[in-house]
Amino acid sequence: MEEDWSGVPARPSQVWADLGNPVTSKSGDAVLSLLAPRGVLRPSLSARASPGPRRPQWALRCSPAQLAAPPSRAPSRGAGSGTKLLCLPPRRSVTFDLASRVLELKEKAAAMALGLFRVCLVVVTAIINHPLLFPRENATVPENEEEIIRQMRAHQEKLQLEQLRLEEEVARLAAEKEAEKEALERLAEEGQQQNESRAAWDLWSTLCMILFLVIEVWRQDHQDAPSPECLGADEDELPGLEGAPLRGLTLPNKATLDHFYERCIRGAPADAPRTREFVEGFVDDLLEALRSLCSRDTDMEVEDFIGVDSMYENWQVNKPLLCDLFVPFMPPEPYRFHPELWCSSRSVPLDRQGYGQIKVVRADDDTLGCICGKTKLGEDMLCLLHGKNNVVRPGSEAKDPLCVGDSPYLDTMRVLKWFQTALTRAWHRINHKYEFDLAFGQLDTPGSLKIRFRSGKFMPFNLIPVIQYDDSDLYLVSHLTREPCGGTPPSSTDWLLSFAVYERHFLRMTSKALPEGACHLSCLQIASFLLSKQSRLTGPSRLSNYHLKTALLHLLLARRPAAWKAEQLDARLHELLCFLEKSLLEKKLHHFFIGNCKVPEAMGLPEAIRRAEPLNLFRPFVLQRSLYRKTVDSFYEMLKNAPALISEYSLHIPSDHGSLPSKAVIL
């Protein structure tokens, strides 16, 4: 296509006039003319972006002769390229601007050429160092390459060996873990089997034990235990024991018991007042003679006697009548007795329960905090508590002859020996006044005395040396002719506690609340009579009158006063024997005063006795099975012989025991 040259000015002045403004083509594009060498075309820079495709425009610098010539068409590079050629006349102002632009373009071209050089240098270096372009034999090989390769191979072998070792270690650990797991599972199974077998064995043992206990309970209930009527319960709730005793043993009826009591027992204590009066008068004279022989500074001080036991409680039935008398004594000044009960200690053996010890101390030793015996007083100082001749000094105390060795506790055997010697001296002093002889009844009981008359009759009585506990009616005795527990003291320094005075006070206090002619003492008398006769038939047993009295005291505290009327003698006697039977089978008979909080406070018991643990009088039966069996057999034999004995003595009263003579001669 032919280019449109209509826009080219006809005159040169027009061309030069237009050089200062952008050349505008027919299409509206702004063109900046560039200076180029003569006859050379250069593209012009577009001042603004055209919306259409960008076409380069070319400016041609022409000479004045060419500009004066008529416009002609310049050749174009390719038809349809849209390139326009302009013939621009020279101009000085425009030439300076174009020169600066040319310099700027040259600098940019130089920077571009430097960048291309750097890129070419990098490419050439990369091509030169490429391994594929140069063979291996042409490269520089280090001299120690073979040594390095050998070391690398050796290191590789070590790594392989280490890898094998680690694999083996992992395999071994896995095997051990698996074996341990299997062992644990096996142990768990074995433990479970053992637990199952043990549980089965325990179950079987438990069943056997339960079966054994059931059989034993059944055997005791049907062979050794009392009937349901006799199994009375505790003191709080004692049911009426109306059934027959165990093994079908029965007591005589009420009429037979009344007849027996009237003929054999009621008349027996008739001589008791005269006997007590005679014995008390003689003992009073004997003790007065003993006091006259003793020195107040060195010998014991003997006090007045105290009558205790059945003779003074009005239930004595056995002959000969026996008086029990307590003789309290005190040490000479400045000594005093300090009793120590078993319950005052934290831990006491079972065989020492119910006993106490008596410590001999000085009455003025550390009681008032005096230090005159511990420090040296000056010559001008005098103790107001202790005189100059009575100063307490360490080691100056005389050794007590009634104590053992260096022990400060009183010895029972030495006390008995002293008491026997003192009684012998006292009797020798007054024997000329009486027409009878006095002798010791038993060698093992020095206080057991016996008066022998010229007629051949005799009268026994007991003088028992005792020590009072504080200001109470409780006494510590050196011995008893009839031991409540049937045992012997654990040691010679142990003294037995006696509640005989409290028992007499309780019976006297209870009798005031009971109906007139109450049968409580009658029950005790009949039971004591049966026990004494049985002891003569089969020999003595550990069951004593003290146990019978203890059972009666428990029943008196549990029953209402109206239950002890005279008309209920047979019922109360039956209940007493059943209570004793129950205690024997249970091997448990608690002391009435020790640890019994139901005892009235008016009795005045020491607080230590009231707070103590209950004392079981049948404890020896727990340890001695043969003795227990003998006692139980003797008890049932007594119940079996009771009807025959009562019937026989109701018809005939034997006179095989001596009694008090009608008149005692006193010189």
Side-chain angles (χ1 to χ4, degrees):
M1 299 181 60
E2 295 182 357
E3 295 293 334
D4 189 6
W5 291 85
S6 60
V8 179
R11 296 188 305 270
S13 58
Q14 184 177 358
V15 176
W16 290 110
D18 292 335
L19 286 176
N21 297 322
V23 178
T24 303
S25 63
K26 187 177 183 179
S27 60
D29 294 335
V31 180
L32 179 62
S33 62
L34 299 177
L35 295 179
R38 185 175 296 178
V40 179
L41 295 176
R42 289 189 179 183
S44 62
L45 298 178
S46 175
R48 58 180 177 86
S50 60
R54 189 173 184 180
R55 293 178 300 175
Q57 297 181 359
W58 297 89
L60 178 63
R61 186 176 180 179
C62 302
S63 62
Q66 292 175 346
L67 291 176
S72 61
R73 181 171 303 188
S76 62
R77 290 184 180 182
S81 60
T83 303
K84 296 182 179 181
L85 297 178
L86 298 179
C87 186
L88 300 178
R91 192 174 181 180
R92 292 181 180 179
S93 60
V94 177
T95 303
F96 178 78
D97 187 22
L98 291 176
S100 62
R101 290 179 182 272
V102 169
L103 291 176
E104 182 179 357
L105 290 176
K106 285 182 179 181
E107 291 177 358
K108 290 181 179 180
M112 184 179 298
L114 182 60
L116 290 176
F117 175 75
R118 291 177 179 176
V119 172
C120 292
L121 182 61
V122 171
V123 172
V124 171
T125 304
I127 293 173
I128 292 173
N129 294 329
H130 197 278
L132 296 179
L133 297 179
F134 300 93
R136 181 176 179 84
E137 53 273 9
N138 296 331
T140 302
V141 180
E143 297 178 357
N144 56 351
E145 180 180 5
E146 295 180 358
E147 182 67 18
I148 294 175
I149 293 174
R150 187 179 61 80
Q151 292 179 358
M152 293 179 63
R153 288 178 180 177
H155 185 66
Q156 182 178 4
E157 292 177 357
K158 290 181 180 180
L159 292 178
Q160 291 178 355
L161 293 177
E162 185 68 17
Q163 182 179 2
L164 292 176
R165 189 184 66 79
L166 292 177
E167 291 178 354
E168 293 177 357
E169 186 71 16
V170 170
R172 185 178 62 81
L173 292 177
E176 291 180 356
K177 186 175 181 181
E178 187 68 22
E180 184 178 358
K181 183 177 180 181
E182 293 178 357
L184 290 176
E185 292 178 355
R186 183 169 61 257
L187 289 176
E189 293 178 357
E190 293 178 357
Q192 185 177 2
Q193 293 177 359
Q194 291 180 359
N195 291 334
E196 292 177 356
S197 60
R198 187 179 300 172
W201 175 254
D202 293 343
L203 179 61
W204 174 251
S205 301
T206 304
L207 292 177
C208 292
M209 182 62 66
I210 293 175
L211 182 61
F212 173 77
L213 292 177
V214 170
I215 294 175
E216 184 67 18
V217 170
W218 177 84
R219 186 185 66 80
Q220 291 183 0
D221 290 341
H222 291 78
Q223 295 182 8
D224 297 334
S227 61
E229 293 83 0
C230 293
L231 288 175
D234 297 332
E235 294 178 6
D236 296 335
E237 187 178 356
L238 290 172
L241 305 175
E242 303 296 340
L246 190 63
R247 301 177 181 176
L249 301 177
T250 57
L251 294 176
N253 54 22
K254 183 178 181 302
T256 305
L257 288 177
D258 290 341
H259 182 67
F260 166 75
Y261 181 76
E262 291 294 333
R263 296 197 58 182
C264 298
I265 296 179
R266 184 183 291 274
D271 295 335
R274 289 193 304 160
T275 303
R276 288 197 301 265
E277 183 180 357
F278 178 80
V279 171
E280 288 175 359
F282 174 72
V283 171
D284 194 8
D285 194 10
L286 184 65
L287 295 181
E288 188 64 29
L290 190 150
R291 295 187 189 98
S292 64
L293 294 174
C294 296
S295 174
R296 294 185 179 181
D297 297 333
T298 58
D299 294 333
M300 298 291 178
E301 181 181 353
V302 179
E303 300 180 356
D304 294 335
F305 63 86
I306 302 173
V308 295
D309 214 348
S310 60
M311 195 67 172
Y312 292 87
E313 293 170 354
N314 298 324
W315 57 273
Q316 175 75 30
V317 293
N318 297 324
K319 292 184 179 180
L321 299 177
L322 181 64
C323 292
D324 292 323
L325 303 176
F326 282 175
V327 182
F329 65 96
M330 296 293 294
E333 295 182 357
Y335 296 97
R336 68 181 181 89
F337 291 145
H338 178 66
E340 297 177 357
L341 302 182
W342 89 100
C343 53
S344 61
S345 180
R346 294 184 179 180
S347 59
V348 177
L350 294 178
D351 56 351
R352 289 195 60 229
Q353 290 184 356
Y355 290 88
Q357 291 183 329
I358 302 173
K359 189 175 183 179
V360 182
V361 297
R362 294 184 65 98
D364 53 359
D365 187 14
D366 294 336
T367 56
L368 298 177
C370 186
I371 61 173
C372 64
K374 301 178 182 179
T375 59
K376 294 183 179 180
L377 302 178
E379 295 180 357
D380 56 345
M381 296 181 64
L382 179 65
C383 180
L384 299 178
L385 297 177
H386 309 99
K388 183 177 181 180
N389 298 326
N390 190 24
V391 177
V392 181
R393 299 195 181 277
S396 63
E397 298 181 359
K399 183 179 179 181
D400 197 331
L402 299 183
C403 298
V404 179
D406 297 334
S407 174
Y409 293 101
L410 205 61
D411 183 76
T412 56
M413 301 305 298
R414 296 198 177 192
V415 169
L416 292 178
K417 185 178 180 180
W418 161 81
F419 190 66
Q420 184 179 9
T421 303
L423 290 178
T424 303
R425 292 173 55 195
W427 168 245
H428 289 165
R429 189 181 183 90
I430 63 172
N431 60 355
H432 64 277
K433 300 167 54 176
Y434 299 95
E435 294 183 352
F436 55 80
D437 295 330
L438 181 65
F440 290 99
Q442 300 177 6
L443 296 178
D444 57 343
T445 54
S448 177
L449 301 174
K450 183 183 295 185
I451 299 176
R452 292 185 179 273
F453 296 96
R454 295 179 179 179
S455 61
K457 296 181 180 180
F458 62 92
M459 180 183 299
F461 64 96
N462 293 320
L463 288 181
I464 306 172
V466 298
I467 296 176
Q468 186 180 9
Y469 178 76
D470 294 342
D471 295 331
S472 64
D473 291 330
L474 179 64
Y475 291 89
L476 288 87
V477 301
S478 59
H479 75 284
L480 285 179
T481 56
R482 297 175 297 277
E483 294 284 348
C485 299
T488 57
S491 66
S492 61
T493 58
D494 291 321
W495 293 64
L496 182 66
L497 269 68
S498 176
F499 294 82
V501 179
Y502 281 113
E503 293 165 0
R504 188 183 66 182
H505 292 342
F506 181 78
L507 288 174
R508 185 177 300 173
M509 182 180 65
T510 306
S511 299
K512 296 179 181 179
L514 296 178
E516 185 178 359
C519 63
H520 62 293
L521 294 181
S522 302
C523 294
L524 184 58
Q525 287 174 320
I526 295 175
S528 177
F529 176 84
L530 296 176
L531 181 62
S532 63
K533 298 305 177 183
Q534 185 62 36
S535 298
R536 293 183 180 181
L537 292 176
T538 60
S541 65
R542 286 298 178 90
L543 196 62
S544 64
N545 288 334
Y546 188 80
H547 297 138
L548 297 177
K549 184 170 69 172
T550 301
L552 177 66
L553 295 178
H554 282 290
L555 292 177
L556 285 173
L557 193 62
R559 288 295 183 184
R560 299 188 306 273
W564 297 97
K565 293 182 179 180
E567 296 80 9
Q568 299 182 2
L569 174 62
D570 56 339
R572 299 287 77 79
L573 177 62
H574 188 274
E575 183 180 11
L576 176 62
L577 295 176
C578 286
F579 182 86
L580 189 61
E581 179 187 32
K582 173 179 177 292
S583 301
L584 277 174
L585 296 177
E586 294 180 354
K587 302 178 183 179
K588 182 175 63 177
L589 178 62
H590 287 158
H591 196 282
F592 179 70
F593 291 103
I594 298 177
N596 190 358
C597 59
K598 299 178 182 179
V599 177
E601 295 183 359
M603 296 296 300
L605 283 173
E607 193 65 23
I609 299 298
R610 189 179 290 272
R611 293 182 179 181
E613 292 292 332
L615 177 63
N616 184 15
L617 300 180
F618 283 166
R619 188 187 61 84
F621 293 153
V622 180
L623 305 177
Q624 306 177 19
R625 297 184 61 87
S626 59
L627 178 64
Y628 169 71
R629 176 54 58 186
K630 180 181 178 181
T631 304
V632 172
D633 293 342
S634 177
F635 175 77
Y636 283 115
E637 189 70 18
M638 179 190 71
L639 294 180
K640 182 180 179 180
N641 298 331
L645 288 174
I646 291 176
S647 300
E648 180 181 356
Y649 279 86
S650 297
L651 299 177
H652 174 68
I653 303 177
S655 57
D656 55 345
H657 302 295
S659 60
L660 181 69
S662 58
K663 185 177 181 180
V665 180
I666 302 178
L667 299 179

